[in-house]
Amino acid sequence: EQKHKVTIVGSGNWGTTIAKVVAENTKEHPDLFESEVQMWVYEEQVAIPEASKLYDPSSKYSTEKQKLTTLINHFHENVKYLPNIALPHNIVANPSLQDSVKEATILVFNLPHQFIGGLCDQMKGSILPYARGVSCIKGVDVSSEDINLYSESIGKKLGIYVGALSGANIANEVALEKFSETTVAYDPPPMDSRGPTPKEGGTPRASELDLTKITEHKDSKGLTSKVRLTAQPPELPPLDHQLMHTLFHRPYFHVHVVSDVAGVSLSGALKNIVAVATGFVAGLDWGDNAKAAIMRVGLLEMRKFGKMFFENTVRTATFTEESAGVADLITSCMSGRNYRCAKMSVERGVSIAEVEKSELNGQMLQGTSTAKEVYGFLKARGKENEFPLLTSTYRILQGEAKLEDLPDLIAKPNLF
Ligand code: NAD
Ligand code: 13P
Ligand code: CA
């Protein structure tokens, strides 16, 4: 009787929160999961903040900087990226990427998007061939020629199937167990649900090699290709929508599992640009009507982007009906980091990068880099004028357009 073993790759504000969610569930479902959840931590030296409840002047941890992994494993708290949240004791912080992933049958990728490419190269030889993944990364993998969902570029690099999780999920609120919803998109080739036929009558159990198949897989662009995938061993509980639900659902974190990986991933990436724009107009103190106008146009451009570049698989309803769509847009444009930092940058008359540095204590914005990446992609295709909000946000960030002109810049009728 095998069980799934889960590793979280990443331990920032959201990475640590998702580790908490998952570890609560692995403990509650010993029939399906090993209780222990490995969490890979990008190691750094951290001093316990004096404001922390952990701070004790007589303790050996009080003054010296310590390894973040040591602090997490000793105090069961991520004092730097998720302070004052008690973590389940079955989370094990591990500074070695290779060691943390080597036994995982489920890999959850959760870190700022700029780091994932390099980490995949380091993970490659260390993971189980039949591992499956879920990407919680909000961003898109863009070059001027192409755009890819992180779930798919990670999957391709590692030779495994990877789905996506995204929703209206400000990490600190989820960590405090305040109610929210999320969307998990999971659409692997059918080999896992059917499973390989176990060998009959005394022959040895199917080896890993026997489970490796060339299978047809339709990606989010609708392209069918032959991929070499290794099925999960039949002894493992089948990794289907039900299991995904069990892994992530909590009484305070309601999961809806769907198959539209493109819609879920694109929403999570593009709404960060809209949140920057909304923060900008909030910084001008233009009021809530202005913010709502930016959100409206943003939602339409998100949907249009999906239809234009992922037309074969995207469900436009994902943008308007799922937590990953409109709900994440709303929460991000009310109190997300991209919104807050953009607002402060206008109020203080400094760059958003400066605010990110001074206010976020090592947490990272995704909206500014995504604005640049998406603009580069659109420009290379001559489509930048068809997405006036996404484009103007980038140009304002660059100092090429005036924030005060935003209403006119986005007032293009009949674009949708
Ligand atoms: P974060 O903003 O807290 O980023 C800090 C993390 O980056 C830390 O774990 C740090 O160790 C790591 N890091 C720094 N330098 C690194 C390096 N060179 N290599 C590898 N890692 C390095 O991260 P987060 O909030 O956990 O965000 C992860 C993803 O989740 C992002 O795509 C984000 O958009 C998304 N997300 C965040 C929230 C939220 O509220 N924080 C909610 C939903 C989704
Ligand atoms: P920020 O990264 O802007 O804080 O957005 C958080 C988020 O994705 C909420 O769902
Ligand atoms: Ca505490």
Side-chain angles (χ1 to χ4, degrees):
E1 188 71 351
Q2 284 187 40
K3 300 173 184 187
H4 284 285
K5 209 165 171 357
V6 190
T7 293
I8 315 293
V9 177
S11 54
N13 192 229
W14 186 226
T16 308
T17 302
I18 278 293
K20 172 178 178 292
V21 165
V22 164
E24 288 167 0
N25 281 329
T26 58
K27 202 159 55 184
E28 269 180 30
H29 297 277
D31 47 326
L32 300 171
F33 304 105
E34 299 281 351
S35 171
E36 182 183 290
V37 171
Q38 289 274 323
M39 177 170 79
W40 174 70
V41 175
Y42 179 74
E43 190 70 287
E44 60 187 292
Q45 299 286 322
V46 171
I48 298 176
E50 283 190 34
S52 168
K53 287 184 205 147
L54 298 178
Y55 183 77
D56 169 2
S58 65
S59 145
K60 68 170 172 147
Y61 290 102
S62 60
T63 50
E64 293 159 43
K65 284 192 167 183
Q66 301 286 320
K67 287 182 176 159
L68 181 56
T69 49
T70 308
L71 288 172
I72 294 171
N73 288 331
H74 187 85
F75 291 112
H76 309 288
E77 178 182 340
N78 186 338
V79 289
K80 176 150 184 193
Y81 294 105
L82 193 64
N84 293 310
I85 299 293
L87 299 176
H89 292 205
N90 52 329
I91 294 176
V92 176
N94 189 337
S96 163
L97 181 62
Q98 288 81 1
D99 188 62
S100 69
V101 298
K102 69 177 192 234
E103 288 174 0
T105 61
I106 302 175
L107 293 159
V108 179
F109 302 96
N110 196 328
L111 71 174
H113 75 278
Q114 34 278 76
F115 302 125
I116 186 66
L119 291 176
C120 283
D121 296 335
Q122 295 176 48
M123 254 179 271
K124 226 172 187 164
S126 306
I127 65 164
L128 292 175
Y130 54 82
R132 296 289 180 261
V134 178
S135 165
C136 304
I137 296 166
K138 289 181 177 173
V140 275
D141 191 5
V142 167
S143 67
S144 53
E145 308 84 59
D146 206 5
I147 185 161
N148 286 292
L149 311 179
Y150 271 109
S151 54
E152 290 182 344
S153 46
I154 297 167
K156 216 173 203 169
K157 280 192 169 159
L158 298 180
I160 63 175
Y161 176 80
V162 180
L165 179 153
S166 192
N169 303 138
I170 304 283
N172 294 330
E173 295 182 16
V174 178
L176 288 167
E177 304 184 5
K178 297 181 179 186
F179 167 64
S180 73
E181 300 178 307
T182 202
T183 316
V184 172
Y186 197 72
D187 190 24
M191 63 194 299
D192 279 350
S193 47
R194 275 190 272 110
T197 328
K199 288 185 178 158
E200 301 285 337
T203 38
R205 208 168 59 185
S207 71
E208 274 170 20
L209 210 65
D210 290 328
L211 304 178
T212 300
K213 292 182 182 167
I214 306 284
T215 177
E216 296 234 312
H217 181 53
K218 196 169 144 191
D219 70 12
S220 63
K221 296 201 183 96
L223 300 173
T224 303
S225 58
K226 295 215 184 296
V227 292
R228 179 180 288 278
L229 268 185
T230 304
Q232 294 221 309
E235 297 83 5
L236 275 173
L239 218 178
D240 50 14
H241 279 193
Q242 182 57 49
L243 196 99
M244 279 293 152
H245 191 269
T246 309
L247 181 60
F248 291 109
H249 188 87
R250 299 295 300 154
Y252 59 85
F253 191 60
H254 284 199
V255 171
H256 188 205
V257 190
V258 302
S259 298
D260 179 12
V261 184
V264 166
S265 305
L266 291 174
S267 300
L270 298 175
K271 65 85 191 174
N272 282 332
I273 307 174
V274 185
V276 169
T278 310
F280 280 159
V281 305
L284 293 176
D285 203 14
W286 280 5
D288 291 337
N289 298 335
K291 291 192 251 177
I294 302 298
M295 286 187 240
R296 181 189 74 84
V297 176
L299 184 61
L300 293 178
E301 289 191 20
M302 285 159 57
R303 194 176 69 178
K304 180 178 179 180
F305 193 99
K307 274 204 281 197
M308 190 176 284
F309 301 112
F310 292 81
E311 60 183 344
N312 292 321
T313 70
V314 96
R315 279 187 73 242
T316 51
T318 301
F319 296 97
T320 47
E321 292 175 13
E322 292 297 334
S323 179
V326 63
D328 190 17
L329 180 73
I330 293 170
T331 199
S332 298
C333 293
M334 282 165 54
S335 68
R337 299 169 299 185
N338 288 288
Y339 167 82
R340 286 187 284 114
C341 289
K343 179 168 180 280
M344 280 187 261
S345 86
V346 174
E347 288 167 347
R348 296 176 189 178
V350 299
S351 75
I352 188 167
E354 260 174 77
V355 178
E356 179 180 20
K357 247 205 170 103
S358 65
E359 300 300 319
L360 289 187
N361 192 30
Q363 293 182 35
M364 299 180 76
L365 298 180
Q366 306 281 275
T368 45
S369 47
T370 302
K372 181 172 187 205
E373 290 151 2
V374 166
Y375 175 79
F377 173 75
L378 290 173
K379 172 108 177 132
R381 311 195 150 214
K383 297 282 189 204
E384 71 273 26
N385 292 330
E386 292 196 41
F387 296 88
L389 179 64
L390 299 181
T391 293
S392 302
T393 306
Y394 168 72
R395 295 186 60 231
I396 291 165
L397 281 165
Q398 288 296 102
E400 293 169 9
K402 267 184 71 188
L403 169 57
E404 286 77 3
D405 293 338
L406 194 57
D408 290 331
L409 292 170
I410 63 173
K412 303 241 174 84
N414 303 325
L415 266 170
F416 301 100

